[in-house]
Structures are given as structure tokens and as C-alpha cells.
Amino acid sequence: MKKRYKIILISFMVLLLAAIRFFEDSLFYDPLIAFFRSDYLLGIIPPMNMAELMIHLSIRYALNSAISLGIIYIAFQNRSMLKFSVILYALLYLGAVSAFIFLVLNIEREHYLALFYVRRFLIHPLFLLILLPAFYYYRISKKEI
């Protein structure tokens, strides 16, 4: 694939990630959005429909993951990197969801910050920011050998 097309496709996918973030209030059920935008360390966690919240968090994670995996594949065009990324995204999802459910069900004020960061890993494509430089470094170091 030509470099120009790669850049256009990756740019489009980054815009999709930005659109998910920009329209999060209207696309997803998440009472924690307003909670964490306020002075949450002094407040109480809002009432929420846990099943609906988990469904929407999972959908959002799946959308972000699919777009992120597309970016990784277009950038490197390496199936083994893509397979590794899929497995890593699945394992990270299981770990983050388990931690999120535990924190929500056992929430105390001193754990609000932990809940904030676990939720952030679920709703934002942060793993992409970790994997892209790692795969780039791997590819460069492999060429030097």
C-alpha cells in the first residue's frame, strides 16, 4: 500500500476515534462522565444501571479496539503484530472490566481515582498509544539485526 493511502486511512481512523470521544454523551450511557467532570473526590457516586453501563462500556471498548487494530494493521501490515494485538486487547479488556466491576461494587471515596483510571482505559484508545511506538521500535530493531 502506498504511503499516501496509509496516511489518509490512518487519519480517517483517528478522526473516527475523535468522533467517538466527541459524541460520547449522546452515543453511550455513562453516568460517570458527569461525575468525573465535577469535583468527584467530594461527591458520591451517582446511581447507575450497571448492566446498561457495562454494555455501553463494552461497545465503546470494541469500537475503539477495532479502529485501533485497523490503525496498527495499516501502519505495519504485519499479521503477527495484529494477532498479538488482538490477544492483548482481549486480555486487557478482561482485566480492566474485572477491576472496574470490583471498584464499582466496592466503591469508597479513596478508590474514586482508581475507578477513574480503570474506566479511562476502557473508554479511550490508550493501548494504541502504547502499541504503536512499541511495534515501531520492534520493526526498527529487527531491521538492524
Side-chain angles (χ1 to χ4, degrees), residues 51-70:
E52 187 176 3
L53 177 61
M54 292 311 301
I55 289 169
H56 283 256
L57 282 176
S58 297
I59 290 169
R60 189 165 178 183
Y61 185 84
L63 286 171
N64 284 331
S65 297
I67 295 167
S68 297
L69 290 169

Side-chain angles (χ1 to χ4, degrees), residues 95-145:
V97 163
S98 301
F100 181 81
I101 292 171
F102 175 79
L103 287 169
V104 167
L105 295 178
N106 300 302
I107 196 67
E108 295 178 16
R109 254 179 223 207
E110 60 267 9
H111 296 133
Y112 283 171
L113 201 54
L115 179 64
F116 173 80
Y117 285 116
V118 170
R119 181 181 156 275
R120 176 166 275 180
F121 273 104
L122 282 169
I123 67 170
H124 298 303
L126 298 176
F127 300 127
L128 179 64
L129 298 175
I130 296 167
L131 290 177
L132 278 178
F135 287 150
Y136 182 74
Y137 176 76
Y138 172 77
R139 189 175 73 179
I140 287 176
S141 66
K142 197 173 176 182
K143 284 182 180 178
E144 290 177 0
I145 294 178

Side-chain angles (χ1 to χ4, degrees), residues 2-3 17-18 22-23 27 48 55 57-58 63 66 68 73 77 86 94 96 100 104 111 138:
K2 289 186 179 181
K3 188 175 183 178
L17 290 173
F22 185 75
F23 295 110
L27 292 174
M48 63 186 97
I55 289 169
L57 282 176
S58 297
L63 286 171
S68 297
Y73 183 72
Q77 294 187 347
V86 168
L94 293 174
F100 181 81
V104 167
H111 296 133
Y138 172 77

Side-chain angles (χ1 to χ4, degrees), residues 21-35:
R21 171 85 165 121
F22 185 75
F23 295 110
E24 70 184 353
D25 291 332
S26 58
L27 292 174
F28 306 105
Y29 169 77
D30 192 351
L32 296 174
I33 291 174
F35 176 70

